[in-house]
Amino acid sequence: MSRRNRGNAGGTYVNNVRGPTSALTSFLNERGIRRANPAPAPPPENVADNGDDNNEEPASPQDQAAPSSSSSTPAPASSSSRLTRTARLTRGRALPTPSTSASRSNELDGVNDDSDSDDSDSDDSDSDNKNLIPIAVSTSTTRAVRATRSRVAAVASSSSSSNTVASSSAPSSTAKAKAAAAAASKKRPRKKDASDDSDDEDFHDITGHISRSNFSHKGRIPQGSNKIVFCSRCRARFTIKAGTTPAVDEDDGGLLCPSCAGTGSPGPLKNTLPKAKPVKRARRKAQKAEIECHIPTLQDLCIQKIANSIEDVEAFGDISDISLDKICKIISRNRSLNAETLQLFLDARHSELILYDCTDITAIGLQNIAQFCPNLRSLKLKLCGRITNEVMDYYTEHLTKLASLTLIGPILILEHTYIKLFETIGTRFEKFELKGSSRFSLKAIKALCDNCPNITHLRLGDCNLMDDEWLEPIAGLTKLKSLRIRNPEPDKLTTSAVVKLVQAVGSGLEELELKGCNGLTDEVLVDAIRPSCVRVERLNLSGCEDLTTEGVETLFKDWSVNSGLTYINLENCVMLKDEALMAVTEHSGATLEELNLSGMDEITKDALQTLTRCGLKIVGREGDYVDLRFM
């Protein structure tokens, strides 16, 4: 960009920094961007002060073209403005004062020769001066300022040496300037080339930023993005992921898709087999069934709602025995079963009644069971510590169809009450279960065995008076199918007495439980259970701490008379090792449904691997399971 005068009525604008070429100047002028010095410096002493010229109108082209014959003729306003601009650029330097308009025209030609006068004069007409916008000059443009000072010095020297020649060549110089201005106005701005780089650097120094109109995303290379290309063989479109290098065809150098690169074939495989459908395993079905079994049904939700509001229920109405039993379990767990709520479960149509917690039921409430349910065949009372002898006598008289009785915790019933009950019921008695009674004696057990020979299920547990003498009358019950003896007093039951009992009744037993008989040895396994219990399916030996691995191996090894057990409980048999577990799984692995190995510390990982033959689940799930707690 060339330096020249810009005078208007508002003030004088001065370019004191060398800027870009005329093409960039035209681009900035089209957007109304101008550069000016916002704080002009005062003129030097040897330059005439033409401050009044700033208020005058700029001279017309005719006035500028008129020749000046003498140095005394006053200079036009444009000349004075140029002098003022030159003085400001010099900032205090002494410059020779031009005396004629011809010298000023010659100076203008000299300045325009250094820069592209044909392109710059067309962009800086006086009509644009009124739209100029002053821009503050940055103090960091050292190179631009140096160039400006050197050019100002050149202009000053050329003006002083051409004072005499300028008077004769003024008309021709003015005509050339007009012609160049007219030609440049019709010329389109040229594109920026490589030679303009140095000027652009000055422009960046002055403005401090680049115009947004010159910014473009075109040509930017995407970083870290995928690219979609076509295979040179099969012409299939595929994606090249960022950071990966595709395969290259050796023939033509093109890119290959993964299918062509992996198989080496000329194209994608067209006769590829369809993918096989995943096989639905039985394990998934089992998991689905297990999840569904934990989802409550609508019936269960209704039962839960009724149980939670049991105090407000007046009658159940027509309800099944299964739903009635579920409600009883819930309210027993909530300790809501009492004499008032008991009336909801009493009906003459019931043949079976189970009460899971009779703690809050009074003796009168228990007596009402026989009064309102005279047709009961099975009665089970848990935690019936408040039942008395009078209540038992009332049952004996009114429950004429009773064949099964379960009493858990009847601490108040005496011996004679049991004897009267057994003598009255007689041969119709089939099942008797007693647990937690300290008053059930040898006479009572003899009365049971003598008067009730049709007993098939006998379960005695936590009876403090039990000893070897009890086992002799029990051996006479030849129709027994289930025999449970739990937690006798230590050293009250000997191995020989138990062997005689099992040999006597073992042929018909389907369930044998000797839980907590810690004094028993391997003779019970080898001499009693193995030869006698050929039909047994459930075996519970938990708590028999004296049983050894050799005894269990002898019991199950080659036990051909028994087809296999479905339930085995070896809890707290601490002396058993891997060989015992292997013998169990070898004999009953195909039929076993439940296995309890809790407390067997000697079992290792190798023995547990044999459980895979059984297909059992872990304890806590519904269905078959293996209890491995405390191992």
Side-chain angles (χ1 to χ4, degrees):
M1 177 186 294
S2 62
R3 296 186 302 274
R4 53 194 174 275
N5 290 337
R6 295 180 180 176
N8 58 2
T12 300
Y13 292 83
V14 179
N15 280 335
N16 58 352
V17 180
R18 182 173 177 267
T21 59
S22 59
L24 184 57
T25 303
S26 301
F27 175 78
L28 296 175
N29 290 339
E30 290 177 1
R31 287 157 177 77
I33 300 176
R34 299 290 185 272
R35 296 179 186 79
N37 192 347
E45 296 178 358
N46 57 349
V47 180
D49 187 7
N50 296 326
D52 297 337
D53 296 338
N54 295 334
N55 298 327
E56 298 178 0
E57 294 294 332
S60 62
Q62 292 79 5
D63 297 337
Q64 293 178 3
S68 178
S69 59
S70 62
S71 61
S72 61
T73 305
S78 59
S79 301
S80 61
S81 300
R82 186 173 299 277
L83 293 176
T84 304
R85 173 184 173 217
T86 303
R88 289 170 180 167
L89 291 175
T90 56
R91 293 189 181 276
R93 294 184 180 181
L95 296 177
T97 304
S99 60
T100 60
S101 60
S103 63
R104 288 192 296 272
S105 299
N106 195 9
E107 177 189 349
L108 180 60
D109 295 336
V111 174
N112 291 339
D113 290 339
D114 295 336
S115 61
D116 299 332
S117 62
D118 294 340
D119 297 333
S120 61
D121 292 340
S122 61
D123 301 327
D124 299 314
S125 60
D126 294 334
S127 59
D128 295 334
N129 292 336
K130 60 181 68 180
N131 297 324
L132 295 180
I133 302 174
I135 299 178
V137 180
S138 173
T139 58
S140 63
T141 59
T142 306
R143 182 172 53 184
V145 172
R146 290 176 180 176
T148 302
R149 290 177 179 177
S150 62
R151 179 162 297 202
V152 169
V155 171
S157 61
S158 62
S159 62
S160 60
S161 61
S162 60
N163 284 333
T164 58
V165 183
S167 60
S168 60
S169 61
S172 61
S173 300
T174 305
K176 290 181 181 181
K178 288 183 178 181
S185 61
K186 298 180 181 180
K187 185 185 299 183
R188 295 180 63 182
R190 62 184 179 87
K191 296 183 178 180
K192 179 180 177 181
D193 53 4
S195 62
D196 299 331
D197 293 340
S198 60
D199 297 333
D200 291 341
E201 294 178 358
D202 297 340
F203 175 71
H204 294 313
D205 292 338
I206 295 173
T207 60
H209 66 280
I210 303 176
S211 176
R212 182 64 183 172
S213 60
N214 291 337
F215 181 79
S216 175
H217 289 282
K218 185 177 180 181
R220 173 182 291 184
I221 299 176
Q223 299 293 333
S225 59
N226 299 337
K227 184 178 180 181
I228 299 176
V229 296
F230 290 88
C231 179
S232 61
R233 289 186 183 179
C234 62
R235 307 306 301 169
R237 185 173 63 177
F238 68 98
T239 303
I240 301 176
K241 295 184 179 180
T244 60
T245 303
V248 181
D249 192 358
E250 297 179 357
D251 298 336
D252 56 0
L255 301 180
L256 297 179
C257 61
S259 59
C260 295
T263 58
S265 58
L269 297 177
K270 297 182 179 179
N271 297 327
T272 55
L273 296 176
K275 294 182 179 180
K277 295 182 179 180
V279 180
K280 295 183 178 180
R281 300 180 179 178
R283 180 181 178 183
R284 293 186 177 181
K285 293 183 179 180
Q287 290 177 351
K288 183 178 179 181
E290 181 180 347
I291 294 174
E292 291 178 353
C293 71
H294 289 83
I295 299 176
T297 61
L298 181 60
Q299 181 183 13
D300 295 336
L301 294 176
C302 295
I303 291 173
Q304 182 69 34
K305 185 66 176 178
I306 293 173
N308 293 336
S309 306
I310 193 65
E311 300 293 342
D312 301 330
V313 178
E314 296 180 357
F316 289 136
D318 189 7
I319 188 173
S320 64
D321 294 339
I322 298 176
S323 300
L324 192 67
D325 185 69
K326 290 181 179 180
I327 295 175
C328 185
K329 287 181 179 179
I330 296 174
I331 66 172
S332 297
R333 185 170 57 249
N334 297 338
R335 296 296 179 94
S336 300
L337 185 61
N338 49 41
E340 288 76 16
T341 57
L342 177 62
Q343 299 297 326
L344 299 172
F345 300 94
L346 302 181
D347 195 330
R349 297 174 298 177
H350 296 332
S351 61
E352 182 180 1
L353 181 62
I354 301 176
L355 301 179
Y356 297 93
D357 187 0
C358 302
T359 306
D360 294 335
I361 302 177
T362 61
I364 297 177
L366 294 173
Q367 184 175 341
N368 291 335
I369 294 175
Q371 183 176 359
F372 291 97
C373 302
N375 298 321
L376 288 178
R377 292 183 53 85
S378 175
L379 178 61
K380 187 174 184 178
L381 303 178
K382 292 185 177 182
L383 303 178
C384 56
R386 304 179 72 173
I387 191 172
T388 60
N389 295 323
E390 290 77 10
V391 175
M392 286 298 300
D393 292 339
Y394 195 85
Y395 288 166
T396 303
E397 296 175 1
H398 292 81
L399 297 178
T400 57
K401 298 181 180 180
L402 188 64
S404 174
L405 179 63
T406 299
L407 300 175
I408 297 178
I411 57 176
L412 300 179
I413 301 178
L414 300 177
E415 178 185 81
H416 65 87
T417 304
Y418 289 113
I419 296 175
K420 181 180 180 180
L421 175 66
F422 299 146
E423 292 176 352
T424 303
I425 294 178
T427 57
R428 75 171 185 267
F429 210 35
E430 298 177 355
K431 181 179 179 181
F432 179 68
E433 182 176 357
L434 181 65
K435 182 178 180 181
S437 176
S438 58
R439 300 186 180 187
F440 194 80
S441 61
L442 178 59
K443 293 182 180 181
I445 192 64
K446 288 183 177 181
L448 173 65
C449 296
D450 295 339
N451 295 286
C452 306
N454 296 329
I455 289 289
T456 58
H457 294 77
L458 179 61
R459 301 172 181 176
L460 302 175
D462 297 316
C463 296
N464 299 333
L465 302 179
M466 182 184 296
D467 55 12
D468 290 344
E469 296 180 359
W470 284 35
L471 303 183
E472 295 180 1
I474 296 176
L477 300 176
T478 58
K479 296 183 179 180
L480 280 178
K481 295 182 179 179
S482 175
L483 176 61
R484 294 184 181 179
I485 299 177
R486 294 185 176 181
N487 303 324
E489 291 293 325
D491 301 330
K492 288 292 185 72
L493 294 181
T494 62
T495 302
S496 59
V498 175
V499 169
K500 293 179 181 180
L501 174 63
V502 174
Q503 291 176 348
V505 300
S507 59
L509 289 179
E510 297 178 358
E511 180 182 11
L512 177 61
E513 179 175 328
L514 299 175
K515 181 179 180 180
C517 300
N518 52 11
L520 302 182
T521 62
D522 293 341
E523 296 179 3
V524 177
L525 304 178
V526 178
D527 300 336
I529 298 178
R530 181 181 172 85
S532 302
C533 300
V534 295
R535 301 175 56 185
V536 68
E537 297 179 356
R538 299 175 61 88
L539 180 62
N540 189 346
L541 300 175
S542 60
C544 298
E545 300 177 354
D546 294 337
L547 299 180
T548 63
T549 303
E550 291 77 9
V552 175
E553 281 187 292
T554 306
L555 172 64
F556 288 99
K557 188 176 181 180
D558 299 331
W559 194 15
S560 57
V561 295
N562 188 281
S563 58
L565 305 181
T566 59
Y567 171 83
I568 299 177
N569 191 345
L570 299 176
E571 181 181 359
N572 293 329
C573 295
V574 294
M575 299 181 64
L576 300 184
K577 298 182 180 179
D578 294 350
E579 292 78 5
L581 181 58
M582 292 179 181
V584 170
T585 55
E586 184 178 356
H587 174 265
S588 303
T591 59
L592 197 59
E593 297 178 357
E594 185 174 346
L595 177 63
N596 191 342
L597 303 177
S598 176
M600 297 176 61
D601 300 334
E602 301 295 331
I603 300 297
T604 63
K605 180 178 64 175
D606 298 335
L608 293 176
Q609 291 178 353
T610 61
L611 297 177
T612 56
R613 306 174 187 174
C614 307
L616 303 179
K617 300 179 181 179
I618 302 300
V619 66
R621 310 280 181 86
E622 292 190 3
D624 307 340
Y625 69 89
V626 181
D627 191 346
L628 302 177
R629 294 173 293 184
F630 306 107
M631 289 193 64

